Coordinates of all heavy atoms in Angstrom, one line a residue:
E73 N -52.8 79.0 82.7 CA -53.9 78.4 82.2 C -53.9 76.9 82.4 O -52.9 76.2 82.2 CB -54.2 78.7 80.8 CG -55.4 78.0 80.2 CD -55.6 78.2 78.7 OE1 -54.8 79.0 78.2 OE2 -56.4 77.6 78.1
D74 N -55.0 76.3 82.9 CA -55.2 74.8 83.0 C -56.0 74.4 81.9 O -57.2 74.6 81.8 CB -55.9 74.5 84.3 CG -56.1 72.9 84.5 OD1 -55.7 72.1 83.7 OD2 -56.8 72.6 85.4
K75 N -55.4 73.7 80.9 CA -56.1 73.3 79.6 C -57.1 72.2 79.9 O -57.9 71.9 79.1 CB -55.1 73.0 78.5 CG -54.3 74.1 78.1 CD -53.4 73.7 76.9 CE -52.6 74.9 76.4 NZ -51.8 74.4 75.2
L76 N -57.1 71.5 81.0 CA -57.9 70.5 81.4 C -59.2 70.9 82.1 O -60.0 70.1 82.4 CB -57.2 69.3 82.2 CG -56.0 68.7 81.5 CD1 -55.5 67.6 82.4 CD2 -56.4 68.1 80.1
D77 N -59.2 72.2 82.5 CA -60.3 72.7 83.2 C -61.6 72.7 82.4 O -61.5 73.3 81.3 CB -60.0 74.1 83.7 CG -61.0 74.5 84.9 OD1 -62.1 74.0 85.0 OD2 -60.7 75.5 85.6
G78 N -62.7 72.1 82.8 CA -63.9 72.1 82.0 C -64.6 73.3 82.0 O -65.5 73.6 81.2
D79 N -64.2 74.3 82.8 CA -64.9 75.6 82.8 C -64.2 76.5 81.8 O -63.1 77.2 82.1 CB -64.8 76.3 84.3 CG -65.6 77.6 84.3 OD1 -66.1 78.0 83.3 OD2 -65.7 78.0 85.4
A80 N -64.8 76.6 80.6 CA -64.1 77.3 79.5 C -64.0 78.8 79.8 O -63.2 79.5 79.2 CB -64.8 77.0 78.2
S81 N -64.9 79.3 80.6 CA -64.8 80.8 80.9 C -63.6 81.2 81.7 O -63.3 82.3 81.9 CB -66.1 81.2 81.7 OG -66.2 80.6 83.0
V82 N -63.0 80.2 82.4 CA -61.8 80.5 83.2 C -60.6 80.1 82.4 O -60.3 79.0 82.1 CB -61.8 79.7 84.4 CG1 -60.5 80.0 85.3 CG2 -63.0 80.0 85.3
G83 N -59.9 81.2 81.9 CA -58.7 80.9 81.1 C -57.5 81.2 82.0 O -56.9 80.3 82.5
N84 N -57.3 82.4 82.3 CA -56.2 82.8 83.1 C -56.6 82.8 84.6 O -57.5 83.6 85.1 CB -55.7 84.3 82.8 CG -54.5 84.7 83.5 OD1 -54.0 83.9 84.3 ND2 -54.2 86.0 83.4
M85 N -56.0 81.9 85.3 CA -56.3 81.9 86.8 C -55.5 82.8 87.7 O -55.8 82.9 88.8 CB -56.0 80.4 87.3 CG -57.0 79.3 86.6 SD -56.8 77.7 87.4 CE -55.1 77.4 87.1
V86 N -54.6 83.5 87.0 CA -53.8 84.5 87.8 C -54.3 85.8 87.7 O -54.6 86.3 86.7 CB -52.3 84.4 87.2 CG1 -51.4 85.4 88.0 CG2 -51.6 83.0 87.4
Q87 N -54.5 86.4 88.9 CA -55.0 87.8 88.9 C -54.0 88.7 88.4 O -52.8 88.3 88.4 CB -55.4 88.1 90.3 CG -56.4 89.3 90.4 CD -55.7 90.6 90.6 OE1 -54.5 90.7 90.8 NE2 -56.5 91.7 90.5
A88 N -54.4 89.8 87.9 CA -53.5 90.7 87.1 C -52.2 91.1 87.8 O -51.2 91.3 87.3 CB -54.3 92.0 86.7
S89 N -52.3 91.1 89.2 CA -51.1 91.5 89.9 C -50.2 90.3 90.1 O -49.0 90.5 90.6 CB -51.4 92.1 91.3 OG -52.2 91.3 91.9
A90 N -50.6 89.2 89.6 CA -49.6 88.1 89.3 C -49.0 87.3 90.4 O -49.4 87.4 91.6 CB -48.6 88.6 88.3
V91 N -48.0 86.5 89.9 CA -47.2 85.7 91.0 C -45.7 86.1 90.8 O -45.2 85.9 89.6 CB -47.4 84.2 90.6 CG1 -46.6 83.4 91.7 CG2 -48.8 83.7 90.8
Q92 N -45.1 86.4 91.8 CA -43.7 86.9 91.7 C -43.1 86.8 93.0 O -43.6 86.9 94.1 CB -43.6 88.4 91.2 CG -44.3 89.3 92.1 CD -44.2 90.7 91.5 OE1 -43.7 91.0 90.4 NE2 -44.7 91.7 92.3
P93 N -41.6 86.7 93.0 CA -40.8 86.8 94.2 C -40.8 88.2 94.8 O -40.7 89.1 94.0 CB -39.4 86.1 93.8 CG -39.4 86.5 92.3 CD -40.8 86.5 91.8
V94 N -40.7 88.3 96.0 CA -40.6 89.6 96.7 C -39.4 89.6 97.7 O -39.4 88.5 98.5 CB -41.9 90.0 97.3 CG1 -41.7 91.4 98.0 CG2 -43.1 90.1 96.3
F95 N -38.6 90.6 97.8 CA -37.6 90.5 98.9 C -37.6 91.9 99.5 O -37.3 92.9 98.8 CB -36.2 90.3 98.2 CG -35.2 89.8 99.3 CD1 -34.9 88.4 99.5 CD2 -34.5 90.7 100.1 CE1 -34.0 88.0 100.4 CE2 -33.6 90.3 101.1 CZ -33.4 88.9 101.2
R96 N -37.8 92.0 100.8 CA -37.8 93.2 101.4 C -36.5 93.5 102.3 O -36.0 92.5 102.9 CB -39.0 93.2 102.5 CG -40.4 93.4 101.9 CD -41.5 93.2 103.0 NE -42.8 93.5 102.3 CZ -43.4 92.7 101.6 NH1 -43.0 91.4 101.4 NH2 -44.6 93.0 101.1
D97 N -35.9 94.7 102.1 CA -34.8 95.0 102.9 C -35.0 96.4 103.3 O -36.0 97.1 103.3 CB -33.6 94.7 102.1 CG -33.3 95.7 100.9 OD1 -34.2 96.5 100.7 OD2 -32.3 95.6 100.2
A98 N -33.8 97.0 103.8 CA -33.8 98.3 104.3 C -34.2 99.4 103.3 O -34.8 100.4 103.5 CB -32.5 98.7 104.9
E99 N -33.9 99.1 102.0 CA -34.3 100.0 101.0 C -35.8 100.1 100.8 O -36.4 101.1 100.4 CB -33.7 99.6 99.6 CG -32.2 99.8 99.6 CD -31.7 99.4 98.1 OE1 -31.7 98.2 97.8 OE2 -31.3 100.4 97.4
G100 N -36.4 98.9 100.9 CA -37.9 98.8 100.7 C -38.2 97.5 100.2 O -37.5 96.5 100.3
T101 N -39.3 97.4 99.4 CA -39.7 96.1 98.8 C -39.3 95.9 97.4 O -39.7 96.6 96.5 CB -41.3 96.0 98.8 OG1 -41.8 96.2 100.1 CG2 -41.8 94.6 98.4
L102 N -38.4 95.0 97.2 CA -37.7 94.7 95.9 C -38.7 93.8 95.1 O -39.0 92.7 95.5 CB -36.5 94.1 96.0 CG -35.3 94.9 96.7 CD1 -34.0 94.1 96.7 CD2 -35.0 96.1 96.0
V103 N -39.1 94.3 93.9 CA -40.1 93.5 93.0 C -39.4 93.5 91.7 O -38.7 94.3 91.3 CB -41.4 94.2 93.0 CG1 -42.1 94.1 94.4 CG2 -41.4 95.5 92.4
P104 N -39.7 92.4 90.9 CA -39.2 92.2 89.6 C -39.5 93.4 88.7 O -40.5 94.0 88.8 CB -39.7 90.9 89.1 CG -40.1 90.2 90.3 CD -40.6 91.2 91.3
G105 N -38.6 93.7 87.7 CA -38.8 94.8 86.9 C -37.6 95.7 86.9 O -36.5 95.3 87.0
G106 N -37.8 97.0 86.7 CA -36.8 97.9 86.8 C -35.8 98.0 85.6 O -36.3 97.7 84.5
T107 N -34.6 98.3 85.9 CA -33.6 98.6 84.8 C -32.9 97.2 84.4 O -32.9 96.2 85.2 CB -32.6 99.6 85.3 OG1 -31.9 99.1 86.4 CG2 -33.3 100.8 85.6
S108 N -32.3 97.3 83.3 CA -31.4 96.2 82.8 C -32.1 94.9 82.7 O -31.6 93.8 83.0 CB -30.1 96.0 83.7 OG -29.4 97.3 83.9
A109 N -33.4 94.9 82.3 CA -34.2 93.7 82.2 C -33.8 93.0 80.9 O -33.9 93.6 79.9 CB -35.7 94.0 82.3
T110 N -33.5 91.7 80.9 CA -33.3 90.9 79.7 C -34.0 89.6 79.9 O -34.3 89.2 81.1 CB -31.8 90.7 79.4 OG1 -31.3 90.0 80.6 CG2 -31.1 92.0 79.3
S111 N -34.2 88.9 78.8 CA -34.8 87.5 78.9 C -34.4 86.7 77.7 O -34.0 87.3 76.7 CB -36.4 87.6 78.9 OG -36.9 88.1 77.7
S112 N -34.3 85.4 77.9 CA -33.9 84.4 76.8 C -34.7 83.2 77.0 O -34.9 82.7 78.1 CB -32.4 84.2 76.8 OG -32.0 83.6 78.1
K113 N -35.1 82.6 75.8 CA -35.9 81.4 75.8 C -35.1 80.2 75.3 O -34.3 80.5 74.4 CB -37.1 81.6 75.0 CG -38.3 80.6 75.2 CD -39.5 81.0 74.4 CE -40.7 80.1 74.6 NZ -41.9 80.6 73.8
S114 N -35.2 79.1 75.9 CA -34.5 77.9 75.5 C -35.0 77.4 74.1 O -36.0 77.8 73.6 CB -34.7 76.8 76.4 OG -36.0 76.3 76.5
S115 N -34.1 76.6 73.4 CA -34.5 76.1 72.1 C -35.7 75.3 72.0 O -36.3 75.2 71.0 CB -33.3 75.4 71.5 OG -32.9 74.2 72.4
D116 N -36.0 74.6 73.1 CA -37.1 73.7 73.2 C -38.4 74.4 73.6 O -39.6 73.9 73.5 CB -37.0 72.5 74.0 CG -36.9 72.8 75.5 OD1 -36.9 74.1 75.8 OD2 -36.7 71.9 76.3
G117 N -38.3 75.7 73.9 CA -39.4 76.6 74.2 C -40.1 76.3 75.6 O -41.1 76.8 75.9
M118 N -39.4 75.5 76.5 CA -39.9 75.2 77.7 C -39.3 75.9 78.8 O -39.6 75.8 80.0 CB -39.8 73.7 78.0 CG -40.7 72.8 77.0 SD -42.5 73.1 77.3 CE -42.9 73.8 75.6
T119 N -38.3 76.7 78.6 CA -37.5 77.4 79.7 C -37.3 78.9 79.3 O -36.9 79.1 78.2 CB -36.1 76.8 80.0 OG1 -36.4 75.4 80.4 CG2 -35.5 77.5 81.1
L120 N -37.6 79.8 80.2 CA -37.4 81.2 80.0 C -36.5 81.7 81.2 O -36.9 81.5 82.4 CB -38.7 81.9 80.0 CG -38.6 83.4 79.7 CD1 -38.1 83.8 78.3 CD2 -39.9 84.2 80.0
T121 N -35.5 82.4 80.9 CA -34.6 83.0 81.9 C -34.8 84.5 81.8 O -34.6 85.2 80.7 CB -33.1 82.7 81.6 OG1 -33.0 81.2 81.7 CG2 -32.2 83.2 82.7
C122 N -35.1 85.2 82.9 CA -35.3 86.6 83.0 C -34.2 87.1 84.1 O -34.1 86.6 85.1 CB -36.6 86.9 83.5 SG -38.0 86.4 82.4
R123 N -33.6 88.3 83.6 CA -32.7 89.0 84.6 C -33.1 90.5 84.7 O -33.5 91.1 83.6 CB -31.3 88.8 84.0 CG -30.8 87.4 84.0 CD -29.4 87.3 83.3 NE -29.0 85.9 83.3 CZ -29.2 85.0 82.2 NH1 -29.9 85.6 81.2 NH2 -28.9 83.8 82.2
C124 N -32.9 91.0 85.8 CA -33.2 92.4 86.0 C -32.6 93.0 87.3 O -32.0 92.2 88.1 CB -34.8 92.6 86.1 SG -35.5 92.0 87.7
T125 N -32.6 94.3 87.4 CA -32.3 94.9 88.6 C -33.6 95.4 89.3 O -34.4 96.3 88.7 CB -31.5 96.2 88.4 OG1 -30.3 95.8 87.7 CG2 -31.1 97.0 89.7
P126 N -34.1 94.7 90.4 CA -35.4 94.9 90.9 C -35.6 96.3 91.3 O -34.7 97.1 91.6 CB -35.5 94.0 92.1 CG -34.5 92.9 91.8 CD -33.3 93.6 91.1
T127 N -37.0 96.8 91.2 CA -37.4 98.0 91.6 C -37.9 98.1 93.0 O -38.4 97.1 93.5 CB -38.5 98.6 90.6 OG1 -38.0 98.6 89.3 CG2 -39.0 99.9 91.0
I128 N -37.7 99.2 93.7 CA -38.2 99.3 95.0 C -39.7 99.8 94.9 O -39.9 100.8 94.3 CB -37.4 100.4 95.8 CG1 -36.0 100.0 95.9 CG2 -38.0 100.6 97.2 CD1 -35.0 101.1 96.5
A129 N -40.6 98.9 95.4 CA -42.0 99.2 95.1 C -42.5 100.5 95.6 O -43.3 101.2 95.0 CB -42.8 98.0 95.6
E130 N -42.0 100.9 96.8 CA -42.5 102.1 97.4 C -42.0 103.4 96.8 O -42.8 104.4 96.9 CB -42.0 102.1 98.9 CG -42.7 101.0 99.8 CD -42.0 99.7 99.7 OE1 -41.1 99.6 98.9 OE2 -42.4 98.8 100.4
T131 N -40.8 103.4 96.1 CA -40.4 104.6 95.5 C -40.2 104.6 94.0 O -40.1 105.6 93.4 CB -39.0 104.9 96.1 OG1 -38.0 103.9 95.6 CG2 -39.1 105.0 97.6
G132 N -40.2 103.3 93.4 CA -40.0 103.2 92.0 C -38.6 103.3 91.6 O -38.2 103.3 90.4
A133 N -37.6 103.6 92.6 CA -36.3 103.6 92.2 C -35.6 102.3 92.0 O -36.2 101.2 92.5 CB -35.5 104.3 93.3
A134 N -34.5 102.2 91.3 CA -33.8 100.9 91.2 C -33.1 100.5 92.5 O -32.5 101.3 93.2 CB -32.8 101.1 90.0
G135 N -33.2 99.3 92.8 CA -32.5 98.7 93.9 C -31.1 98.4 93.6 O -30.6 98.6 92.5
K136 N -30.4 97.9 94.6 CA -29.0 97.6 94.4 C -28.8 96.2 94.1 O -27.6 95.8 93.8 CB -28.2 98.0 95.6 CG -28.1 99.6 96.0 CD -27.4 100.0 97.2 CE -27.5 101.4 97.4 NZ -26.8 101.9 98.7
A137 N -29.7 95.3 94.3 CA -29.6 93.9 94.0 C -29.9 93.5 92.6 O -30.6 94.4 91.9 CB -30.6 93.1 94.9
T138 N -29.6 92.5 92.1 CA -29.9 91.9 90.8 C -30.8 90.6 91.1 O -30.7 89.9 92.0 CB -28.8 91.5 89.9 OG1 -27.9 90.6 90.6 CG2 -28.0 92.8 89.7
L139 N -31.6 90.3 90.1 CA -32.5 89.1 90.2 C -32.5 88.3 88.9 O -32.6 88.9 87.8 CB -33.9 89.6 90.5 CG -35.0 88.4 90.5 CD1 -34.7 87.4 91.6 CD2 -36.4 89.1 90.6
E140 N -32.2 87.0 89.0 CA -32.4 86.1 87.9 C -33.5 85.1 88.3 O -33.5 84.5 89.4 CB -31.1 85.4 87.6 CG -31.3 84.4 86.4 CD -30.1 83.5 86.2 OE1 -29.9 82.5 86.9 OE2 -29.2 83.9 85.3
I141 N -34.5 84.9 87.3 CA -35.6 83.9 87.5 C -35.5 83.1 86.4 O -35.6 83.5 85.2 CB -37.0 84.6 87.7 CG1 -36.9 85.8 88.7 CG2 -38.0 83.6 88.1 CD1 -38.3 86.5 88.9
I142 N -35.7 81.8 86.6 CA -35.7 80.8 85.5 C -37.0 80.0 85.6 O -37.2 79.3 86.7 CB -34.5 79.8 85.5 CG1 -33.2 80.5 85.5 CG2 -34.7 78.7 84.5 CD1 -32.0 79.7 85.7
Y143 N -37.8 80.1 84.7 CA -39.1 79.4 84.6 C -38.9 78.1 83.6 O -38.5 78.3 82.5 CB -40.3 80.2 84.0 CG -40.7 81.4 84.9 CD1 -40.1 82.6 84.9 CD2 -41.8 81.2 85.8 CE1 -40.6 83.6 85.7 CE2 -42.3 82.2 86.6 CZ -41.6 83.4 86.6 OH -42.1 84.4 87.4
T144 N -39.3 77.0 84.1 CA -39.2 75.7 83.3 C -40.6 75.1 83.3 O -41.1 74.7 84.5 CB -38.2 74.8 83.8 OG1 -36.9 75.5 83.9 CG2 -38.1 73.5 83.0
L145 N -41.2 74.8 82.2 CA -42.4 74.3 82.1 C -42.3 72.7 81.9 O -41.8 72.3 80.9 CB -43.3 74.8 81.0 CG -44.7 74.3 80.9 CD1 -45.5 74.8 82.1 CD2 -45.4 74.8 79.6

Side-chain angles (χ1 to χ4, degrees):
E73 178 183 354
D74 177 11
K75 295 183 177 181
L76 298 183
D77 194 339
D79 187 354
S81 66
V82 178
N84 183 7
M85 295 188 298
V86 177
Q87 201 268 350
S89 53
V91 181
Q92 63 182 0
V94 179
F95 201 99
R96 288 176 172 79
D97 69 358
E99 289 185 291
T101 305
L102 298 177
V103 295
T107 60
S108 305
T110 63
S111 65
S112 60
K113 197 173 185 180
S114 64
S115 59
D116 65 0
M118 292 296 116
T119 299
L120 181 70
T121 301
C122 299
R123 300 176 180 86
C124 70
T125 301
T127 299
I128 301 172
E130 290 83 355
T131 65
K136 297 179 180 178
T138 59
L139 171 64
E140 179 184 82
I141 310 177
I142 301 174
Y143 289 88
T144 302
L145 186 63

